[in-house]
């Protein structure tokens, strides 16, 4: 029975990671069709929130037992934590405006070693040798995966900056998701966090697209950050009928549900290894659907990053002894 549960967990986490890995490719396709970052993120969060509300309503009606209700303090904490969820999507989608999807996903995966640093600060303990070695391998893999050696791919520093910001935000999201209000049903917890993320997304929509149309002062402030005014226009609601549903389904509905079912069965260590499937899936999708160039040296770098993730999550001798006891 235990083997069956582990297999189920690996399957759910693997499918969730693969689906999430496809997301950036659809975002890039939306950009090619003239949609803005604000329109992409807004459609994803609005439809995602709507979908989760429907699923929560169905779960509440069909559940045979009373579901946990969050306290007012938990709601505030989850809303605050959810802002990092909105930040991750926003920063990641801005990054793919400037750089290839294959490069953006590599930068997002820097959350692997970001989390080691955050963990060390919180626990006030230096990481063990294996984690340090894993971090070094991740950094080496990143140099190869972004093709910094040959520089056949031009790296826009704007894209690199926003990609690393996405990784930092993603790290915060992972920590808060695993520590806050873990007793709540997945739909209820996801709704609150998504609502917090929506605040960030709506604020960006107003600042970068809608606001500058009506307020000269805001437009002047906005132009201090960029001279691109092409996306200052009325909201294009057709995004909801074209890409919005796919983005919501692949970004804010299916993966969180699969992860919340899969991780308890697979375990955090094995689940983290399997979830790294997101990296090769994303690069492959970009190669197949967008025709992005992916050189052999980049695949070597991706393989090194995957190896580092496996190395980081292998059980230590002490953990093996505890499990054998």
């Amino acid at each position: 029975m235990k083997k069956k549960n582990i297999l189920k967990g690996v399957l759910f986490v693997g499918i969730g990671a693969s689906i999430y890995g496809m997301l950036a490719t659809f975002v890039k396709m939306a950009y090619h069709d003239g949609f803005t970052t604000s329109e992409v993120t807004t459609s994803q969060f609005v439809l995602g929130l709507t979908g989760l509300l429907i699923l929560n309503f169905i779960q509440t009606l069909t559940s045979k037992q009373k579901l946990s209700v969050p306290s007012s303090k938990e709601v505030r904490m989850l809303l605050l934590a959810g802002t990092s969820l909105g930040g991750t999507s926003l920063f990641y989608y801005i990054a793919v405006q400037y750089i290839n999807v294959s490069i953006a996903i590599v930068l997002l995966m820097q959350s692997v070693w970001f989390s080691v640093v955050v963990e060390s600060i919180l626990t006030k303990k230096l990481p063990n040798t294996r984690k340090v070695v894993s971090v070094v391998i991740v950094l080496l893999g990143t140099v190869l995966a972004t093709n910094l050696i040959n520089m056949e791919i031009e790296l826009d520093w704007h894209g690199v900056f926003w990609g690393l910001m996405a990784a930092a935000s993603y790290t915060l999201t992972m920590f808060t998701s695993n520590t806050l209000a873990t007793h709540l049903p997945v739909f209820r917890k996801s709704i609150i966090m998504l609502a917090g993320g929506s605040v960030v997304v709506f604020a960006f929509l107003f600042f970068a697209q809608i606001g500058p149309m009506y307020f000269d002062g805001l437009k002047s402030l906005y132009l201090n950050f960029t001279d691109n005014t092409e996306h200052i226009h009325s909201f294009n609601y057709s995004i909801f009928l074209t890409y919005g549903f796919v983005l919501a389904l692949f970004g804010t509905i299916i993966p969180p549900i699969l992860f919340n079912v899969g991780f308890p069965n697979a375990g955090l260590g094995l689940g983290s290894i399997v979830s790294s499937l997101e990296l090769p899936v994303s690069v492959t999708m970009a190669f197949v659907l967008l025709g992005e160039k992916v050189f052999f040296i980049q695949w070597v770098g991706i393989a090194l990053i995957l190896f580092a993730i496996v190395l980081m999550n292998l059980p230590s001798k002490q953990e093996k002894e505890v499990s054998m006891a």
Side-chain angles (χ1 to χ4, degrees):
M1 188 68 182
K2 189 177 180 181
K3 284 186 178 180
K4 184 180 178 182
N5 286 337
I6 292 175
L7 181 62
K8 175 185 174 182
V10 168
L11 186 64
F12 275 61
V13 172
I15 295 173
S18 299
I19 290 174
Y20 195 74
M22 300 176 188
L23 193 61
T25 298
F26 289 108
V27 171
K28 198 83 169 184
M29 290 169 68
Y31 287 160
H32 287 166
D33 286 347
F35 294 107
T36 66
T37 302
S38 299
E39 290 163 350
V40 167
T41 51
T42 299
S43 65
Q44 178 184 328
F45 274 72
V46 168
L47 292 178
L49 199 55
T50 303
L52 286 173
L53 283 169
I54 293 171
L55 290 172
N56 178 68
F57 179 71
I58 294 171
Q59 184 186 41
T60 303
L61 288 179
T62 57
S63 179
K64 295 180 181 179
Q65 56 186 14
K66 189 176 180 181
L67 301 175
S68 300
V69 178
S71 64
S72 57
K73 181 181 178 181
E74 287 175 332
V75 170
R76 289 194 299 270
M77 291 177 70
L78 287 172
L79 283 172
L80 185 61
T83 58
S84 66
L85 191 65
T88 301
S89 296
L90 192 59
F91 299 150
Y92 187 39
Y93 296 169
I94 294 175
V96 299
Q97 281 188 315
Y98 297 99
I99 54 179
N100 288 349
V101 169
S102 54
I103 304 298
I105 188 65
V106 168
L107 293 173
L108 181 65
M109 294 302 287
Q110 300 310 297
S111 58
V112 171
W113 69 268
F114 281 12
S115 61
V116 173
V117 175
V118 172
E119 184 182 41
S120 299
I121 293 172
L122 293 177
T123 60
K124 296 180 181 179
K125 291 181 181 179
L126 291 173
N128 58 38
T129 305
R130 189 176 59 186
K131 286 188 176 180
V132 172
V133 171
S134 298
V135 168
V136 172
I137 294 173
V138 167
L139 293 175
L140 175 61
T142 302
V143 171
L144 297 178
T146 52
N147 207 22
L148 287 177
I149 296 176
N150 295 325
M151 285 306 293
E152 292 183 57
I153 297 175
E154 292 185 10
L155 284 181
D156 189 313
W157 72 267
H158 295 91
V160 174
F161 171 77
W162 291 114
L164 292 176
M165 284 291 290
S169 189
Y170 188 47
T171 302
L172 185 59
T173 299
M174 287 192 295
F175 269 91
T176 53
S177 295
N178 290 326
T179 55
L180 293 178
T182 54
H183 64 93
L184 290 178
V186 57
F187 295 144
R188 291 189 178 182
K189 183 177 178 180
S190 297
I191 287 168
I192 300 171
M193 291 190 70
L194 205 59
S198 297
V199 174
V200 175
V201 170
F202 293 152
F204 181 78
L205 171 64
F206 178 77
F207 175 77
Q209 183 166 335
I210 305 300
M213 290 175 56
Y214 303 102
F215 303 99
D216 292 334
L218 183 58
K219 186 175 182 179
S220 299
L221 177 63
Y222 174 74
L223 291 176
N224 289 325
F225 295 91
T226 178
D227 56 0
N228 182 11
T229 59
E230 290 181 3
H231 49 276
I232 298 177
H233 55 71
S234 300
F235 191 91
N236 188 350
Y237 290 98
S238 65
I239 184 71
F240 287 101
L241 301 174
T242 50
Y243 293 98
F245 179 73
V246 174
L247 293 172
L249 205 60
F250 284 13
T252 51
I253 298 179
I254 294 179
I257 293 172
L258 293 178
F259 285 156
N260 278 281
V261 174
F263 269 103
N265 286 293
L268 190 58
L270 181 59
S272 299
I273 295 171
V274 177
S275 66
S276 62
L277 277 171
E278 178 186 334
L279 181 57
V281 168
S282 184
V283 175
T284 303
M285 286 287 290
F287 175 74
V288 174
L289 294 182
L290 300 177
E292 291 187 358
K293 289 183 178 180
V294 184
F295 299 98
F296 175 73
I297 194 171
Q298 290 177 266
W299 286 113
V300 173
I302 290 168
L304 281 175
I305 294 173
L306 293 175
F307 171 72
I309 294 170
V310 173
L311 180 64
M312 194 178 293
N313 288 285
L314 286 175
S316 63
K317 289 183 179 180
Q318 291 180 340
E319 289 171 335
K320 284 182 179 178
E321 288 173 0
V322 170
S323 63
M324 291 288 288

